Amino acid sequence: LFRQAHPEFLKTGKGPAVGILLELQAVRKGGDVFPAEIALSSVDLGGTWHAVRIVRDITSRKQTERALLEDEKLRSALETVGMVHHELNQPLQIIMGMSELVLGQIDPTDNAKNNLEQIVAAAKRLSNIINKLDKITEYKTQSYVGKSSILDLDESTKSDD
């Protein structure tokens, strides 16, 4: 079968996979599939070209690469979160402080009091979300619009509750 499929290799010892490193899925004798690195070389033995294949299990390397990628995602998310926390927290504190100051000065029967209380409540909710950003310890996502995903703030933060 090999001789029929690769007549050029049999003549020259050359082929598209000779001399390059391939990452493929391989199958163990027991049927388990694993990530493998495969190197194919050719050797001329007595005027006949033969293929020499080296297969290396790279499961451990792939696991390390995935862990490094997750660490990189977390580091990137934390850098972004630090900036967002700082940039949003300062104006939010002004909104909350001024709203509470005005709320303390407004007549309890004034119709605007209810609106101002809603502003203070929303600002406190936003403040809680911003403060939660400081507690991110891992990179967990949730599905979002379409096929995209976003940071799952609840799953990514430590629970102090």
Side-chain angles (χ1 to χ4, degrees):
L1 180 65
F2 175 82
R3 294 181 191 283
Q4 292 172 350
H6 304 285
E8 183 64 24
F9 176 83
L10 295 172
K11 291 178 194 172
T12 65
K14 296 179 181 173
V18 175
I20 61 172
L21 203 55
L22 301 170
E23 282 191 19
L24 303 169
Q25 294 293 312
V27 181
R28 290 188 174 88
K29 287 181 184 178
D32 293 338
V33 176
F34 66 98
E37 192 173 74
I38 300 174
L40 186 64
S41 297
S42 57
V43 62
D44 183 358
L45 297 175
T48 304
W49 286 101
H50 297 270
V52 177
R53 177 183 61 207
I54 299 172
V55 178
R56 183 169 58 166
D57 184 339
I58 58 172
T59 302
S60 173
R61 184 176 85 199
K62 290 296 184 182
Q63 290 169 341
T64 301
E65 287 173 358
R66 280 191 296 276
L68 287 172
L69 182 60
E70 287 302 311
D71 286 348
E72 186 178 318
K73 286 179 183 178
L74 177 59
R75 189 171 38 257
S76 177
L78 291 175
E79 288 171 1
T80 302
V81 160
M83 181 275 303
V84 167
H85 183 273
H86 176 74
E87 294 298 326
L88 291 180
N89 202 39
Q90 288 184 342
L92 182 61
Q93 293 305 315
I94 293 169
I95 292 168
M96 287 175 63
M98 293 299 215
S99 296
E100 288 175 350
L101 182 66
V102 172
L103 193 56
Q105 297 172 348
I106 199 167
D107 186 311
T109 61
D110 192 326
N111 290 337
K113 183 177 184 207
N114 184 43
N115 293 340
L116 201 52
E117 287 173 338
Q118 288 181 26
I119 290 171
V120 170
K124 286 181 179 178
R125 181 174 178 270
L126 184 55
S127 179
N128 288 336
I129 292 169
I130 290 170
N131 289 330
K132 196 178 246 190
L133 295 175
D134 277 340
K135 297 176 183 170
I136 292 177
T137 58
E138 57 186 317
Y139 186 82
K140 298 276 185 165
T141 60
Q142 63 184 6
S143 296
Y144 195 58
V145 179
K147 294 183 179 182
S148 65
S149 61
I150 59 172
L151 182 70
D152 185 329
L153 194 54
D154 289 331
E155 291 294 318
S156 297
T157 56
K158 291 186 229 178
S159 178
D160 290 339
D161 303 328

